Amino acid sequence: MSIIKKLNNDIEKLVEQAGYKVENLALQPSGRRDLGQFQLNDAMTLARTYKKSPRLIAEDIIKILQQDSRFTNLNIAGPGFINITLTDAYLGELLTQIYEDKNLNIDKRPRKKIILDYGGANVAKALHVGHLRSANIGEALKRLATLLGYEVIGDAHLGDYGRPLGLVVLEIKKRYPELPYFDESYTGDFSEIEPPITNSDLEEIYPYASSKSKEDEKYLEEARDITFKIQNHERGYYDLWKKVVEISKKDIKQVYDMLNVNFELWLGESDAAEYLDELTKIYEESNVLIESEGAQIIEVKEDSDTSPMPPLLFKRSNGTVSYETTDLATILQRQKEMNPDEIWYCVDARQGLHFDQVFRAARKVKLIEDKVILEHIGFGTMNGKDGKPFKTRDGGVMSLKGLINLVEEETRKKINPDTVEEDMREEVAKTVAIAALKYADLLPFRGTDYIFEPEKFADLEGKTGPYLLYSTIRMKSLLTKGESLEIGKITQFKTETEKDIALTILRLPTTLNKALDSRSLNDITEYIYKLTSLYNKFYAENKILTEEDKELQKSWLTLTKIVYDINMTLLDVLAIKVPEKM
Ligand code: ARG
C-alpha cells in the first residue's frame, strides 16, 4: 500500500476517534498553499449525516489531529474545510521511505487477467498514421496496468483475413503466373520456395489490386474466389498467402520495434478462423441467425437505444464472413484458450458501432461468461492543420514510417553536436523523435483529436518529449557527478519549491490510479511535466554539488534521485526510451 494511502487511513481513524465515521477518506491537494498543504472536505458531508454544523465537526476533528506530531498549522477555512500541513520532519521521513522502496509510492491492485487487443496492423498493407495511436495508447496502458498489478496479454490481432489477402495473391498470380504455387501438378515442398516479393512490392501491390477490383468486376470475382481458396486452406494459394504474411509481419515488427511496442501474442484474425464452425453452430442452435437476402444477420437492437443500431452481418450472401464475425470468433477463442477477466480493445473511436454490435451479439448467446468485461477503449484521430485526419502532401494516407521521418527531421536539429558523437546523432535523433511523437500523442485525453505539429512536438521547452528527456538526462548527470557524495535521507527542506516537489511525489499513486481508471495516459503525461518543471525550478535556484551544508546537500541529492526514478518509471510506462545524451 502506498504511504499516502496509509496516511489517509490513519487520518480516517483519527476522525473516527473524534466521533465521526468517514469511508475512503482522501486528503485533497490544497488550492490555497498559504493555508495548508492538504485539504480535508469531509466535514461538509458529515454535517448532513450527523445533523451538526460542519464548523463544529471540523473543530472536533482538529482537536484530535492537533495531538499528532505529524501535523502542523491545522486550521479551518470557510464553513468547515480543514487545512492540514505535514511537518518538515514527517514529510522528509515519508520521502526517505520512498527513496528506500519505490513500492511505497504505488497502490497495487488485485491480480486480474486482461487481454489487450491493440495495434491492429493489416498484413500486406503499410502501417499508417491510424495505427499509431492504437500502438502508443495500447502499449502504455498495458505497461501501466502491469505496473499496478494486472496480468496483461497484448495481442497484435493482425488483419490477415478477408478480401485483401485474395487481392494480393491474385495480383501476384497475374504478375508471376509461372510460380509453383499456381501449378496444380507441383508436388514439392512450398516451404522451400521464396516468392520474388519484398515488403515494398506488397505496399505497391495491395493498393493497385484494390483499386483495380473496384473497376473490374471480373478481377474482383477472381479475388473472391482466391480468398475462398485461402480460407479453405487450398494447397498452393494458402502456402503463398502464408509467405505473404511472413514477409509483411517482418516489416510490421520493425515499425513496432521502432515504437518500443512489444506484443505478447502475434495472433491474427485468421487464427480465430478455426473457431468459425463452432461459432456458427452456437448461433444456429440459439436461433438468432436471421436469413436476409441470402446473407445471415443477427439483430442487436435494444429497446433503450436512442441511435440506430443496424443488425450485425454474420455471413455475406457469397459465403464469406465479415470483420464482425472474425471478432466474434476471436472472443470465443480468447475465452477458450486464455480465460481472461477482461478484454480491452484499443481501437479508433470510429469503430465504436462495430464493437457495440460485436459485444451485444457475443452476450446474446453467452459466447463469453457474463462476468468477463468487454471494453472498447476508443481514441480520437491525429489531424492535419486542416482539422482532418493527417494526410501526405498529395492527399494520400500517411505511412507511419513517413510520419516518424517528419518528426525526426525536426529532432535532428535539436541534437547537441558538442555532447553527442557524430556516429550516434542519427540514432539519438530517432530516439528523440519517437519520444516527441509518443508524448504528444499521449498528452491529450485519448478521446480527443489533436493536431500533428512536428516543430512543436520537437521543442526543447514546454510539454514535449524532448523537454522531458533533456531534463531527465540532466538529473542523471547530476547524480553521476555527485556519486561520491552522501545520499539516502531527506531531513530538511530549504524552499517551498522542494516541498512542492515532495508533495507532487506523494501524488504519484493517485495519478497512476486515475490514469488506469480512465484508460488514458493524459494524467501521467501532465504529471511528469509538472514534476519535471518543479524540479528544474529547484535545480536553477540551487547549486547542489557545491552546497556547503552537507545535510542539506544529502536531502537534495535524495530528492533528485526520487524524481529521476519516477521519471524513468513513467517514461517506461509511456514506452519512451531515454538516450544517454542528446
Ligand atoms: N485491423 C483493424 C483495422 O486496421 C483493427 C483491428 C482492431 N481489433 C479488433 N479486434 N477488431 O482497422
Side-chain angles (χ1 to χ4, degrees):
M1 198 196 301
S2 66
I3 45 182
I4 192 71
K5 186 144 188 210
K6 255 190 231 139
L7 178 63
N8 282 329
N9 291 349
D10 285 357
I11 296 178
E12 198 174 296
K13 282 191 201 109
L14 293 172
V15 171
E16 206 174 324
Q17 271 181 40
Y20 307 99
K21 185 117 194 72
V22 194
E23 252 156 72
N24 299 322
L25 177 144
L27 289 174
Q28 302 300 320
S30 166
R32 287 277 309 269
R33 281 294 307 283
D34 51 325
L35 297 178
Q37 295 171 340
F38 297 99
Q39 211 169 292
L40 198 61
N41 303 334
D42 298 86
M44 309 303 157
T45 12
L46 288 173
R48 256 169 275 141
T49 325
Y50 289 88
K51 306 213 172 9
K52 201 167 168 183
S53 106
R55 184 101 201 168
L56 288 177
I57 295 175
E59 276 165 15
D60 290 343
I61 294 173
I62 279 209
K63 244 178 254 156
I64 297 286
L65 295 180
Q66 264 159 352
Q67 296 162 25
D68 196 309
S69 63
R70 292 175 289 183
F71 312 122
T72 179
N73 186 24
L74 294 152
N75 62 75
I76 304 171
F81 299 106
I82 302 171
N83 291 305
I84 302 177
T85 297
L86 307 181
T87 62
D88 285 5
Y90 182 56
L91 189 58
E93 210 176 283
L94 290 182
L95 275 263
T96 304
Q97 285 180 34
I98 291 172
Y99 171 86
E100 283 164 0
D101 182 0
K102 280 188 232 171
N103 287 319
L104 295 178
N105 204 21
I106 196 167
D107 285 314
K108 292 260 183 198
R109 303 187 179 200
R111 230 193 100 227
K112 221 185 224 186
K113 192 189 209 174
I114 290 163
I115 297 174
L116 178 54
D117 182 316
Y118 72 108
N122 298 311
V123 162
K125 295 197 228 172
L127 277 157
H128 57 77
V129 26
H131 293 110
L132 174 75
R133 302 208 75 194
S134 180
N136 284 345
I137 300 170
E139 180 72 21
L141 279 179
K142 184 178 83 187
R143 292 174 183 222
L144 172 64
T146 308
L147 180 70
L148 296 191
Y150 290 165
E151 179 199 350
V152 190
I153 304 166
D155 181 11
H157 198 70
L158 288 177
D160 58 0
Y161 208 69
R163 194 178 299 158
L165 42 119
L167 283 169
V168 171
V169 170
L170 169 64
E171 188 51 34
I172 296 176
K173 185 179 180 183
K174 298 269 183 212
R175 294 184 191 189
Y176 307 95
E178 71 289 350
L179 286 176
Y181 300 104
F182 313 116
D183 176 2
E184 276 173 33
S185 61
Y186 181 79
T187 52
D189 185 354
F190 285 115
S191 66
E192 279 157 20
I193 303 167
E194 282 312 315
I197 309 284
T198 64
N199 189 64
S200 15
D201 294 332
L202 290 176
E203 287 179 6
E204 176 264 323
I205 288 176
Y206 175 72
Y208 173 85
S210 170
S211 62
K212 184 157 176 159
S213 73
K214 285 180 189 124
E215 293 148 18
D216 186 338
E217 185 60 38
K218 201 171 138 258
Y219 188 86
L220 179 65
E221 209 36 66
E222 273 179 90
R224 274 200 195 118
D225 186 45
I226 290 184
T227 309
F228 190 78
K229 284 190 163 90
I230 300 169
Q231 292 184 349
N232 286 288
H233 294 204
E234 195 166 303
R235 211 181 124 74
Y237 290 94
Y238 178 66
D239 297 278
L240 175 56
W241 165 71
K242 275 178 79 168
K243 287 280 180 194
V244 169
V245 173
E246 234 171 79
I247 295 165
S248 178
K249 221 158 135 174
K250 219 187 253 164
D251 188 75
I252 291 171
K253 272 198 171 131
Q254 249 173 30
V255 183
Y256 282 135
D257 276 349
M258 207 147 72
L259 289 170
N260 315 322
V261 167
N262 317 296
F263 299 100
E264 283 62 36
L265 297 173
W266 278 87
L267 295 175
E269 293 173 14
S270 70
D271 292 292
E274 57 182 287
Y275 286 90
L276 280 171
D277 288 342
E278 188 178 344
L279 184 82
T280 308
K281 205 164 147 241
I282 294 173
Y283 278 96
E284 273 169 358
E285 281 171 2
S286 314
N287 286 321
V288 290
L289 291 181
I290 301 168
E291 298 291 326
S292 168
E293 296 168 33
Q296 286 178 320
I297 58 169
I298 301 170
E299 274 304 345
V300 288
K301 235 185 359 236
E302 284 166 13
D303 291 343
S304 55
D305 286 338
T306 49
S307 44
M309 179 56 68
L312 178 147
L313 177 61
F314 190 79
K315 202 169 261 171
R316 297 198 188 84
S317 54
N318 65 17
T320 58
V321 297
S322 67
Y323 175 47
E324 285 70 36
T325 306
T326 57
D327 259 329
L328 286 172
T330 307
I331 291 179
L332 185 59
Q333 177 190 26
R334 287 175 177 159
Q335 164 86 62
K336 293 216 154 190
E337 295 177 9
M338 285 173 269
N339 195 24
D341 295 300
E342 303 192 8
I343 307 176
W344 297 353
Y345 299 80
C346 187
V347 183
D348 195 317
R350 290 174 293 183
Q351 293 195 25
L353 179 66
H354 165 80
F355 286 108
D356 280 341
Q357 291 182 308
V358 169
F359 296 168
R360 286 182 183 194
R363 297 283 182 217
K364 212 161 182 164
V365 297
K366 296 204 189 297
L367 210 51
I368 192 138
E369 289 171 42
D370 283 339
K371 61 170 203 261
V372 180
I373 293 170
L374 301 171
E375 183 176 343
H376 173 211
I377 301 173
F379 48 79
T381 54
M382 178 210 262
N383 292 338
K385 294 212 166 85
D386 58 358
K388 298 202 191 94
F390 191 68
K391 292 262 159 65
T392 56
R393 230 167 257 182
D394 51 22
V397 176
M398 188 76 192
S399 78
L400 195 40
K401 283 190 219 161
L403 188 87
I404 295 171
N405 284 336
L406 288 178
V407 184
E408 202 182 328
E409 271 171 34
E410 296 301 322
T411 54
R412 210 174 277 136
K413 301 176 197 159
K414 304 282 158 58
I415 306 303
N416 184 348
D418 298 333
T419 46
V420 184
E421 293 89 49
E422 195 170 353
D423 59 337
M424 289 298 292
R425 277 179 217 153
E426 239 345 85
E427 203 188 310
V428 175
K430 177 141 267 150
T431 307
V432 180
I434 298 298
L437 192 56
K438 279 190 175 255
Y439 187 80
D441 196 50
L442 300 171
L443 190 57
F445 175 72
R446 68 174 153 80
T448 314
D449 298 343
Y450 72 98
I451 294 175
F452 180 63
E453 289 170 293
E455 314 81 27
K456 194 172 134 195
F457 298 175
D459 205 330
L460 283 169
E461 293 296 330
K463 287 184 191 171
T464 69
Y467 171 72
L468 294 169
L469 291 187
Y470 178 80
S471 310
T472 307
I473 293 171
R474 199 166 64 179
M475 292 172 205
K476 165 105 181 276
S477 140
L478 174 75
L479 289 166
T480 311
K481 284 188 196 133
E483 237 163 17
S484 59
L485 301 168
E486 269 200 67
I487 188 166
K489 214 172 167 88
I490 297 185
T491 47
Q492 47 185 300
F493 298 92
K494 193 176 154 205
T495 61
E496 277 307 305
T497 313
E498 288 148 56
K499 285 193 219 172
D500 277 341
I501 296 173
L503 294 172
T504 307
I505 290 171
L506 291 177
R507 254 200 316 272
L508 178 67
T510 322
T511 308
L512 294 175
N513 280 325
K514 202 167 158 225
L516 185 55
D517 288 339
S518 63
R519 316 272 191 255
S520 178
L521 285 305
N522 58 301
D523 284 300
I524 293 182
T525 42
E526 290 287 348
Y527 174 90
I528 186 170
Y529 173 73
K530 168 119 198 273
L531 182 64
T532 302
S533 28
L534 277 174
Y535 181 82
N536 285 346
K537 183 164 173 252
F538 154 74
Y539 181 90
E541 283 169 1
N542 302 289
K543 291 215 154 39
I544 303 169
L545 291 176
T546 52
E547 174 57 44
E548 308 253 302
D549 180 341
K550 290 295 151 191
E551 271 307 299
L552 184 60
Q553 183 180 54
K554 192 193 211 174
S555 294
W556 283 351
L557 283 170
T558 310
L559 192 68
T560 303
K561 178 70 165 66
I562 300 172
V563 174
Y564 172 73
D565 281 345
I566 292 181
N567 273 15
M568 290 304 280
T569 302
L570 294 184
L571 289 170
D572 187 58
V573 163
L574 304 177
I576 290 176
K577 280 197 180 134
V578 184
E580 290 290 322
K581 302 171 189 162
M582 68 180 270

